[in-house]
Amino acid sequence: MSVKIALAGNPNSGKTTLFNALTGSNQFVGNWPGVTVEKKEGRLKGHKDVIIIDLPGIYSLSPYTLEEVVARNYLINDRPDAIINIVDGTNIERNLYLSTQILELGIPVIMAVNMMDIVKKNGDEIRIARLGEKLGCEVVEISALKGTGITEAVKKAVAIAQTKTVSEIKHEFCKEAEEIIQRVEDKLSGIVTDGQKRFFAVKLLEKDEKIQTQISSMPDIAEDIKELEEKFEDDTESIITNERYCYISSIIGDCVKKNRAGKLTLSDKIDRVVTNRWLALPIFAIVMWVVYYVSVTTVGTFATDWTNDVLFGDIIPPAIENILVSVNCAGWLEGLILDGIVAGVGAVLGFVPQMFVLFIFLAFLESCGYMARVAFIMDRIFRKFGLSGKSFIPMLIGTGCSVPGVMASRTIENDRDRKMTVMTTTFIPCGAKLPIIALIAGALFDEASWVAPSAYFVGIAAVICSGIILKKTKMFAGDPAPFVMELPAYHMPTAGNIFRSMWERGWSFIKKAGTVILLSTILLWFLMSFGWADGSFGMLEADQLDSSILAVIGNFIAPLFKPLGWGDWKMAVAAVTGLIAKENVVGTFGILFGFAEVAEDGTEIWGQLAGSMTAVAAYSFLVFNLLCAPCFAAMGAIKREMNNPKWFWFAIGYQTGLAYAVSLCVYQIGNIISGGGFGLGTIVAVILMIGFGYLMVRPYKESRTLNAGQKAMVPAR
Ligand code: GDP
């Protein structure tokens, strides 16, 4: 029979490092069923029958974040055979808050105090045996990074799993609280097993509604709650949190000896500079500039250009063409393979080298401990409009390419913040949108220098306004997630961990390119390449795009865009081909205006474009393309990060809807300002703007405040 061991601990306690060390490459990474929270499972190296489950990093077993709910549902319903509670030895006091809850679950627990290498280097002392006695469970010292003590820890975990040794709950709250907890425990007889009584009794006293759905019948404990609240003159949740902290302080004094004596650790010294009020932002700007410079503009661009122009330009297509010609392949099939599959998937895979370079940097910054500081620095600014400090990185990366940008949102633990970031990151103009900006600026605005900055401004404004508006909806309402992030000690990450992290992120994208993106590009290729020319249906020449099925569709949907000022089918078709890759927009215009090939900014067609629409309409077209659904590759990334069709479509619908509304307002209002006529569209635009104003200023939805435990954890330096 296989043994299931769950790893539970705070974020940054070293769970991933331990998990990787224990499972090696025998792991499966996915998502917990139905939610985007990462799920990792693997077999213990050399022991096929021991399964290790990495639970999401959490600070407590409360129901406030999706991670907490996922972790505790697993612990309550699936009941692993044993839990390894991994505790950051450099931050033991805060970590024990979760431990006291885990010990109440009635599951065999072994505590692994991690980062012992740092603890020792700092000259601190943790009395492991004493801690074990106080907590009532076995405690071992480990260093997940160095690999010390981990074999012993897992051996002990397997042993207690096999003997089913549930630790005795040694921790006690004050007498009055214990009496009431005991009373509720008695009422739970027959409803939950004896081992689980304390956990459920405490959670029920905390008025945790989600836990009530986990038990078959709900005992009447209203009187007990009332009595507890009256005795302590506080609400039950705060009472229990305080009791936990009192208990933890009592054992810390006995078991942990800090060698501080006014001495600052190296990490503290670095932090004095890096998180300094005045230096933090400039240092951060320099670090990100280096990352960006290397991964987006130099090495990354070189690699991506090489993949696009050489590998998928000069090498693969001619080679495949030769093969196809040599086997006398039918013209349409050759077109499908070369122009559809190879070109489409090639365009997507072209991003891969750039992504890998970027992911190496991100993995490094993340695991050396700097990313935690960045989030901390940016948090104060970002929370003002409902996003987390961690949303900044995806957006910054998104200026290069939305695909790695969206994927970088993985580092955001809080589910709501992550979804919001995934939805809004693509508003920031990516590299591929720059040619569209150059085209419009050149053709209609005399290459005015304000056009490009204004595009970034529109993107940033869309992110900020979306943050404010969405946070006020029921879907995103809730506790303003506090900044409860540990600032781990700085250290040199191992190469293995960096490459593993890079590969995990990159590979999942490559898989997407092979499925959803492949199908989408084939479909679009078909719509562009077939049509009615010379009186019959068939495959078209490259310059016959205006006879294609896509043109028919373009004609059909063009009226939709009339209120936005660009109801011409060519515009509609250009916007649709932008879904393959935004660079395509300029190329499509080129073909539609009779050029087989145009420069990146479409200089050749500036004159014709200027003749076919007004400046206001062109700007509305630009805004629409900036904000609407991104390219297939980015949509693939959104789909993966959302991990739920409903959320995916909501994101795409929101982006496109917002793009439509903003473009409509730009055109209609701009038209009035530039002396155009007043019409139905103008009225709609005014109504939209009033509605928008209302959504921005209406009050936030009622939200439950956080439990005192989380508040208590906020002072992260
Ligand atoms: P998780 O968020 O709990 O999965 O934590 P990670 O495994 O990502 O670890 C957080 C950081 O601590 C990473 O940079 C690790 O390399 C580092 N780390 C983990 N275990 C140890 C350890 O035993 N000693 C040291 N010095 N660093 C560690």
Side-chain angles (χ1 to χ4, degrees):
M1 252 234 343
S2 63
V3 177
K4 275 194 191 161
I5 297 179
L7 301 185
N10 287 14
N12 273 320
S13 57
K15 263 174 349 81
T16 312
T17 314
L18 179 63
F19 178 77
N20 290 341
L22 292 178
T23 57
S25 52
N26 303 315
Q27 40 177 281
F28 168 77
V29 184
N31 283 297
W32 292 89
V35 292
T36 34
V37 179
E38 193 161 275
K39 176 178 191 172
K40 283 191 181 170
E41 215 175 289
R43 290 178 191 277
L44 180 64
K45 263 195 273 185
H47 296 268
K48 275 214 160 104
D49 52 345
V50 179
I51 299 171
I52 314 271
I53 297 111
D54 189 19
L55 294 178
I58 47 175
Y59 293 103
S60 83
L61 293 176
S62 334
Y64 292 101
T65 65
L66 188 58
E67 289 74 12
E68 288 167 347
V69 175
V70 165
R72 79 175 196 185
N73 282 354
Y74 179 80
L75 293 173
I76 298 171
N77 301 328
D78 294 37
R79 294 192 72 78
D81 301 302
I83 300 172
I84 298 183
N85 172 213
I86 178 160
V87 161
D88 174 358
T90 62
N91 239 319
I92 195 157
E93 187 162 355
R94 201 178 294 176
N95 279 237
L96 286 181
Y97 184 74
L98 174 68
S99 307
T100 56
Q101 299 182 51
I102 288 180
L103 286 166
E104 288 172 349
L105 285 162
I107 299 173
V109 179
I110 174 160
M111 182 182 287
V113 182
N114 190 28
M115 316 255 181
M116 282 309 289
D117 52 323
I118 304 184
V119 172
K120 288 186 179 147
K121 211 159 90 194
N122 290 348
D124 299 341
E125 188 195 344
I126 299 176
R127 292 186 190 148
I128 295 293
R130 189 100 186 93
L131 191 62
E133 272 168 36
K134 289 262 179 186
L135 290 168
C137 73
E138 181 126 29
V139 182
V140 288
E141 294 184 358
I142 66 164
S143 166
L145 193 69
K146 307 245 179 301
T148 47
I150 61 174
T151 320
E152 190 200 352
V154 80
K155 258 192 202 149
K156 288 195 168 161
V158 172
I160 53 169
Q162 280 162 345
T163 54
K164 300 198 175 19
T165 323
V166 177
S167 45
E168 187 188 336
I169 297 169
K170 285 266 179 88
H171 60 267
E172 273 194 3
F173 302 155
C174 68
K175 203 164 135 266
E176 290 95 334
E178 281 298 335
E179 270 171 21
I180 295 174
I181 294 174
Q182 186 56 50
R183 242 188 282 153
V184 178
E185 280 190 44
D186 293 342
K187 290 184 185 172
L188 282 167
S189 292
I191 299 177
V192 297
T193 62
D194 282 355
Q196 289 181 303
K197 273 186 188 164
R198 182 166 177 111
F199 177 78
F200 277 95
V202 171
K203 287 291 160 206
L204 289 177
L205 278 172
E206 285 179 344
K207 294 178 251 180
D208 180 336
E209 284 163 13
K210 287 206 178 87
I211 216 75
Q212 297 178 11
T213 59
Q214 304 273 349
I215 48 176
S216 53
S217 72
M218 176 67 193
D220 181 11
I221 59 163
E223 278 303 313
D224 304 299
I225 291 178
K226 204 167 144 225
E227 190 183 328
L228 191 60
E229 290 186 337
E230 276 170 5
K231 273 196 178 144
F232 289 80
E233 290 178 356
D234 204 346
D235 69 295
T236 49
E237 209 176 339
S238 309
I239 300 168
I240 297 201
T241 307
N242 284 337
E243 288 297 319
R244 274 192 210 286
Y245 273 110
C246 288
Y247 169 73
I248 292 168
S249 319
S250 77
I251 56 173
I252 286 289
D254 208 13
C255 304
V256 182
K257 292 273 168 286
K258 290 250 176 201
N259 172 28
R260 274 289 155 86
K263 207 180 85 191
L264 288 176
T265 63
L266 180 64
S267 272
D268 291 336
K269 284 185 202 148
I270 299 178
D271 269 342
R272 286 217 154 167
V273 181
V274 166
T275 59
N276 173 286
R277 262 173 73 185
W278 307 110
L279 294 176
L281 283 177
I283 292 178
F284 173 60
I286 294 171
V287 170
M288 281 335 275
W289 180 81
V290 172
V291 171
Y292 196 79
Y293 182 74
V294 176
S295 52
V296 178
T297 58
T298 51
V299 180
T301 308
F302 169 77
T304 285
D305 284 351
W306 184 85
T307 320
N308 279 335
D309 301 340
V310 182
L311 189 64
F312 283 99
D314 301 339
I315 301 179
I316 295 183
I320 295 183
E321 195 174 353
N322 282 342
I323 298 172
L324 295 178
V325 170
S326 68
V327 297
N328 268 333
C329 177
W332 67 268
L333 187 60
E334 193 179 315
L336 168 66
I337 295 175
L338 286 175
D339 302 334
I341 302 176
V342 176
V345 174
V348 175
L349 289 185
F351 293 121
V352 169
Q354 195 178 38
M355 267 164 47
F356 276 97
V357 177
L358 196 74
F359 288 159
I360 290 183
F361 273 104
L362 283 187
F364 178 82
L365 291 179
E366 225 174 277
S367 74
C368 76
Y370 184 66
M371 218 56 129
R373 273 81 183 174
V374 170
F376 177 71
I377 299 163
M378 298 310 292
D379 199 61
R380 244 175 303 153
I381 307 170
F382 268 64
R383 356 184 29 173
K384 291 209 172 78
F385 46 89
L387 283 164
S388 132
K390 292 188 176 180
S391 310
F392 184 74
I393 308 285
M395 289 182 187
L396 192 81
I397 294 168
T399 55
C401 171
S402 303
V403 174
V406 168
M407 292 175 71
S409 63
R410 274 257 135 162
T411 53
I412 305 174
E413 286 106 11
N414 181 290
D415 186 62
R416 240 181 359 233
D417 292 352
R418 183 172 48 227
K419 285 204 171 98
M420 183 103 93
T421 310
V422 169
M423 279 177 67
T424 52
T425 296
T426 58
F427 290 150
I428 305 288
C430 68
K433 287 175 185 167
L434 296 183
I436 312 180
I437 300 174
L439 172 74
I440 299 292
L444 286 128
F445 294 96
D446 209 10
E447 294 186 69
S449 60
W450 59 266
V451 179
S454 79
Y456 285 94
F457 177 77
V458 167
I460 294 167
V463 172
I464 295 180
C465 296
S466 298
I468 296 174
I469 290 176
L470 291 173
K471 205 73 185 181
K472 293 181 179 182
T473 62
K474 219 166 136 203
M475 259 178 307
F476 287 95
D479 335 310
F483 198 82
V484 283
M485 189 174 187
E486 304 284 338
L487 294 184
Y490 287 101
H491 70 99
M492 207 54 198
T494 61
N497 276 348
I498 290 190
F499 282 103
R500 192 191 299 270
S501 155
M502 173 203 82
W503 180 248
E504 269 172 20
R505 286 189 186 150
W507 177 236
S508 59
F509 175 71
I510 296 172
K511 275 195 294 197
K512 262 275 123 53
T515 53
V516 180
I517 301 173
L518 177 65
L519 287 179
S520 319
T521 44
I522 292 178
L523 178 68
L524 211 53
W525 168 83
F526 175 74
L527 298 177
M528 282 168 75
S529 315
F530 283 79
W532 294 265
D534 312 321
S536 67
F537 183 80
M539 201 166 161
L540 306 169
E541 299 294 323
D543 58 357
Q544 290 177 317
L545 192 56
D546 52 358
S547 310
S548 65
I549 310 177
L550 191 60
V552 175
I553 298 175
N555 265 315
F556 184 71
I557 59 170
L560 254 179
F561 299 112
K562 209 162 168 56
L564 314 193
W566 38 281
D568 184 350
W569 72 271
K570 289 180 185 164
M571 303 283 165
V573 165
V576 172
T577 57
L579 294 178
I580 299 184
K582 294 289 167 188
E583 297 95 326
N584 278 357
V585 173
V586 177
T588 307
F589 272 131
I591 296 174
L592 293 175
F593 286 123
F595 292 87
E597 201 144 316
V598 290
E600 194 169 91
D601 61 357
T603 344
E604 298 85 344
I605 55 168
W606 285 4
Q608 290 186 38
L609 200 61
S612 66
M613 63 169 132
T614 64
V616 178
Y619 199 77
S620 139
F621 177 77
L622 176 63
V623 168
F624 185 83
N625 278 283
L626 289 179
L627 303 181
C628 75
C631 63
F632 284 138
M635 282 197 248
I638 294 180
K639 182 155 186 297
R640 182 186 146 73
E641 292 311 315
M642 288 296 194
N643 188 35
N644 171 323
K646 260 202 332 237
W647 273 103
F648 167 72
W649 287 112
F650 175 70
I652 301 297
Y654 176 78
Q655 292 164 343
T656 312
L658 183 78
Y660 193 90
V662 176
S663 304
L664 181 88
C665 295
V666 166
Y667 178 67
Q668 297 293 344
I669 306 296
N671 211 13
I672 293 282
I673 296 171
S674 58
F678 189 89
L680 182 64
T682 331
I683 299 172
V684 176
V686 171
I687 294 175
L688 275 175
M689 284 176 46
I690 294 174
F692 180 77
Y694 166 73
L695 289 177
M696 290 283 288
V697 298
R698 75 186 175 131
Y700 282 95
K701 279 253 171 305
E702 270 301 306
S703 68
R704 293 187 63 179
T705 46
L706 278 150
N707 62 338
Q710 281 171 308
K711 271 185 218 148
M713 284 189 282
V714 176
R717 250 179 281 188

